[in-house]
Amino acid sequence: TMMNQLLGMHQVEKEISQYFGIKRCIVVAGNSDNQDKVLYEFGDILTDSLDLLLPEGRNIIAVMGGTTMAMTAEYMGSLESEKRHNLFVPARGGIGEAMTVQANSVSAVMASKTGGHHRALYVPEQLSLETYNSLLQEPSIQEVLTLIEQSNCVVHSIGRALHMAARRKMSDDEMVMLKQNNAVAESFGYFFDEEGEVVYKIPRIGLQLKDVQKIPNVVAIAGGKSKAKAIRAYMKNAPKQTWLITDEAAANEILKGV
Ligand code: G3H
């Protein structure tokens, strides 16, 4: 029956949050590898989760990019009220993604769907270190970096290491190094091995992994059977306040190894 299914799912959610030692896990039915409806539901659930998590007053929500984040953003609903105002900012500077799935784009879409505001961080890709460093001195960039530092919420996805490295056109040397270090997961531009240890980091401005530890509200969104290994690896050392929004296919695969 439907009720049994709901209870079954609830049990899986509990097992996963206990296994990783995180605050909460929410599991959507299906497999986002091949079902778009799962991604639509991620949008609903992220909206509901942020509605519960975000306090009254002014919130700054730092968001990462990727296809999951971009699709989830499209299906979000209102989060604004007379008492609560939300500002969306990209969590980190460009890490080599296509325009539509960059953190800048995701934060703009989230702001428009939820009725909030957003600020972009304009740091072009592929700059020389010299240009990069002088760009960082720009007041408009400093301003957004300060907002990112003040964020009280972060929303991000988790990807497969080599898949992400290839998509972001990382060099052959970097690919070899990632393989040698058994990188399986990627999040925030950091690469993790199966134990959830950082093996490599793309140097970029904005939120660093150690900053995420101190942010009171953290939501990770990642699903699909193909991502189970990556999700398990990253979540092993994820901040304890994390809420994980995932799907049935990933959840079942994660629990198989327990
Ligand atoms: O850091 C993780 C990636 O942003 C995930 O990308 O949602 O396209 O799989 P994806």
Side-chain angles (χ1 to χ4, degrees):
T1 64
M2 188 67 176
M3 199 57 195
N4 271 334
Q5 278 176 13
L6 285 175
L7 287 173
M9 204 75 104
H10 192 71
Q11 185 58 32
V12 169
E13 291 173 340
K14 236 174 82 184
E15 279 175 34
I16 292 209
S17 56
Q18 281 171 356
Y19 174 55
F20 294 129
I22 56 169
K23 206 148 133 217
R24 213 173 149 184
C25 173
I26 301 164
V27 176
V28 172
N31 181 1
S32 57
D33 280 341
N34 48 33
Q35 292 172 305
D36 281 351
K37 67 162 179 125
V38 175
L39 293 158
Y40 313 158
E41 252 191 89
F42 281 176
D44 264 345
I45 292 179
L46 177 62
T47 308
D48 291 349
S49 301
L50 292 180
D51 198 30
L52 284 169
L53 287 167
L54 296 175
E56 288 181 354
R58 184 197 192 220
N59 295 293
I60 302 181
I61 301 141
V63 305
M64 289 297 300
T67 59
T68 310
M69 289 294 295
M71 277 289 265
T72 300
E74 294 290 344
Y75 294 92
M76 289 182 78
S78 177
L79 277 173
E80 202 77 3
S81 76
E82 231 162 76
K83 290 186 177 151
R84 185 170 63 196
H85 303 288
N86 304 315
L87 175 68
F88 292 82
V89 292
R92 293 193 86 191
I95 45 180
E97 292 276 37
M99 180 67 114
T100 50
V101 304
Q102 280 173 14
N104 270 332
S105 311
V106 173
S107 67
V109 172
M110 285 192 176
S112 106
K113 297 291 173 183
T114 63
H117 291 88
H118 76 99
R119 288 291 301 273
L121 181 65
Y122 294 112
V123 190
E125 314 271 329
Q126 320 284 2
L127 293 179
S128 68
L129 196 60
E130 204 177 295
T131 314
Y132 185 76
N133 285 334
S134 73
L135 198 62
L136 292 192
Q137 304 312 312
E138 278 296 315
S140 65
I141 289 185
Q142 282 297 329
E143 214 183 296
V144 181
L145 285 175
T146 304
L147 290 170
I148 295 171
E149 270 168 36
Q150 294 167 349
S151 57
N152 64 328
C153 180
V154 57
V155 185
H156 69 98
S157 188
I158 302 157
R160 287 171 291 152
L162 299 179
H163 177 83
M164 294 310 301
R167 189 168 95 189
R168 291 176 185 157
K169 305 198 171 50
M170 287 169 69
S171 70
D172 291 346
D173 285 352
E174 284 174 308
M175 291 297 267
V176 168
M177 181 276 309
L178 288 174
K179 282 181 198 159
Q180 279 170 349
N181 287 289
N182 301 315
V184 294
E186 186 278 343
S187 196
F188 298 104
Y190 288 73
F191 290 84
F192 305 84
D193 66 15
E194 266 187 82
E195 296 311 312
E197 301 296 337
V198 175
V199 295
Y200 188 63
K201 168 194 167 184
I202 305 176
R204 281 296 178 278
I205 52 170
L207 221 57
Q208 308 298 312
L209 201 56
K210 64 171 181 2
D211 304 324
V212 181
Q213 293 286 346
K214 286 175 271 166
I215 295 180
N217 305 292
V218 180
V219 183
I221 312 173
K225 189 176 176 186
S226 66
K227 276 194 183 178
K229 204 172 169 185
I231 297 170
R232 190 198 291 131
Y234 170 78
M235 291 308 301
K236 278 192 178 165
N237 285 330
K240 298 304 165 205
Q241 68 274 29
T242 301
W243 282 35
L244 170 66
I245 300 174
T246 187
D247 63 22
E248 206 181 354
N252 289 337
E253 194 68 15
I254 289 168
L255 289 177
K256 257 190 208 166
V258 177

